[in-house]
Amino acid sequence: MEPVTPTQPDMQTGDIRAPRLLPPLPLFLLQPILRRIVTRIAAQNPDMFNRLGPHRSANFIIDVKGLPFALHLRPDPDDLLFRAVPRHRKPVADAEIRGGFLDLLGLVDGESDGDALFFSRDLVITGNTEAVVCLRNALDDVDGSIAAEVADMFGPPGRAMLSAMRRASARRKN
Amino acid sequence: MQRPELVCPAGTPAAMRTAVEAGADAVYCGFQNATNARNFPGLNFTPDELERSIAHAHEHGTKVLLAINTFPPAGKVDLWREAIDLGARLGVDAYIVADIGVADYIARNHPDIRLHLSVQAAASSPEAINWYCREFGVKRVVLPRILTVSEIKQIASEIPCEIETFIFGNHGLMVEGRCSLTNYITGQSTNYDGVCSPAADVEYRRDDDGNLSTRLGDFTIDCFSCNETAGYPTICKGRYLTPARNEGYYAFEEPISLNLSSLLPDLMAAGVNALKIEGRQRSRAYVRNVVSSFRKAVDAIMAGQEPPLADLIALTEGQKQTEGAFKSKTWR
C-alpha cells in the first residue's frame, strides 16, 4: 500500500501541498473514511443518482493537484465505490477530472461554477464528457452543500476545518 | 419607467430554488426531452420535479415559464403536445415557443396561458412579431441578440406585445432556430433535438505541455495553449486553420459572453419589459451570483440610484465579455 502525507491547500493556487516533516499516512487508513463519506452522501441524497442516467456505473478518477494519491468514484447506488488509489497505478476509468483542492471543494460546496473553472483552465476533463456532465448536474442538484454534509460527519472539528477552507477559498478569489 | 421582470435560468430544481431565492421575478425551464433547446444529459425537470418546483416558485411570487422552444419533426409532434398539456396541468405561467405549429396548438387548446415567442423563432422585425401576435396571441417576444438598443426602442413602438431581451450569458449571434452546424457534424439537431454540441460527441485532449484540444466528432474545434482561457465546444466558436491565414481564425464568433450590466438603464428606458439571463446548463453558483447581481442593479435603477456593476467576468465564456450588437453593430 502506498503511503500518503497529511496535506493542506496552498492558498495561492488551491493545490494541495504536503508538509515535509509529517510521517506518511498509509492509503488503507483512508479507505473506510472515504467509504463512510460516500455511503452517507448517497443515503442523504438518493434522488441525485437519477441525473446520472446510464453513467451511474461509470468510473471517475478525481485527481486533486498535489495530493499523493487520486480518488476513484463509481456513483452507482447499488455498487458504490469511493477510494484512494495510488497516483501511478490509477485504474482504467471512463473519465478523469483534475483540479486544485479549493476549486474542487468549491464545486461540492455549491460555491463554484464548473464551466467557469473550465474556461479558466483550472478544471481539466478527459474521457467521457457526457458522463462528467451528468455527474456535474447530479452533484449540483443537491440542495445545500455536499461539503457541509461531509464536514457534519466529523462534528465541530469537521465544520471548523470546512470554515477555514471556505475562508481560504474566499481570500483566494479576492 | 416600468419595472422590468428579471427572467432567470433553471436547469435543475435546486437551481430553480436558488434563482427564486436570489430574486428572480420569473424562471424558465424545460422537461428532460427534445421539446426544449437545452436537452442536455442530466439536466432539466421530470414532471414531479416541475410540479414541486412550481409550487415553491409560486409560494415566493415567482412565475415559471416553460420552454417548449424546439421544432417538432414530422411524425413526432405528440411529444410536444404532451409536454404542453402537462405544463398546463402543472400550472406553468407561460410557454416559450418557437414553432408555429406548437404556438397554434397552445393558442387553440390553452388560450388562457401566456405565450412567449422564443429567441429561437428569430423574429426581429415589427412585421414578423405583429404576425405572431395576430395569429397566436403572443404576449411577449424574446428578441434576437443582433439588435441595437435604439432598434429595440423602435420595435417597441411598433408592436402590441412585451419585449424580453438577453442581458447576460451566451452571445448567440447565429440566426437562431436555423443553426445546423451541430447537425452537420453529429447528426443531432439543435432545432429538432435540442442539443448543441452533444456532450457524447465532445472530447477534450490535453497534451504533456498543457495545451488543450477540443474535438466534436471527428473535427478539432480549437486548441488552447496552456495559458489561454477556453470556451464551449461549439462549432460557431471554433478557431480554424485556413490556407488564407497564418494562424487559427474564429470563423463565426469568439468564445465570449454577453454582459449588458452597463446598458440596463438604456434597455429599461427603451421599453424592455423583461431582462433575461441565459444559462440553464450552468450551476447553482452561477445562478446565485448572476441573478443576485442583476437583482441589485435593476432595483437600484428603479430607485433612481447608480446601479452597482458586479464583476462577473469569472463566469463569462473565455473570461471575456461584450455588449455585442446591443451597443454597436461593429462590436467585433
Side-chain angles (χ1 to χ4, degrees), chain A residues 51 98 110-113 115-116 118-121 124-126 129-130 133-134 136-137 139-144, chain B residues 12-14 17 41-42 44 49 202 204 206 210 224-225 228-232 281-284 288 314 316 319:
Chain A
R51 294 196 174 272
R98 185 163 197 263
E111 290 297 322
S112 295
D113 178 71
D115 290 14
F118 171 78
F119 297 147
S120 63
R121 308 285 301 279
V124 178
I125 295 160
T126 51
T129 308
E130 184 176 84
V133 170
C134 285
R136 186 273 306 266
N137 288 332
L139 294 174
D140 202 61
D141 193 32
V142 171
D143 269 323
Chain B
T12 63
R17 284 188 288 277
N44 293 321
E49 287 173 345
V202 173
Y204 299 110
R206 187 172 181 274
F224 304 100
S225 66
E228 271 187 302
T229 55
Y232 280 123
Q281 75 282 12
R282 301 292 290 266
S283 66
R284 283 179 294 153
R288 186 186 313 115
T316 57
Q319 300 199 316

Side-chain angles (χ1 to χ4, degrees), chain A residues 12-29:
Chain A
Q12 295 301 315
T13 64
D15 297 349
I16 289 284
R17 62 186 179 197
R20 295 178 186 281
L21 299 178
L22 295 175
L25 179 70
L27 271 187
F28 73 84
L29 291 178

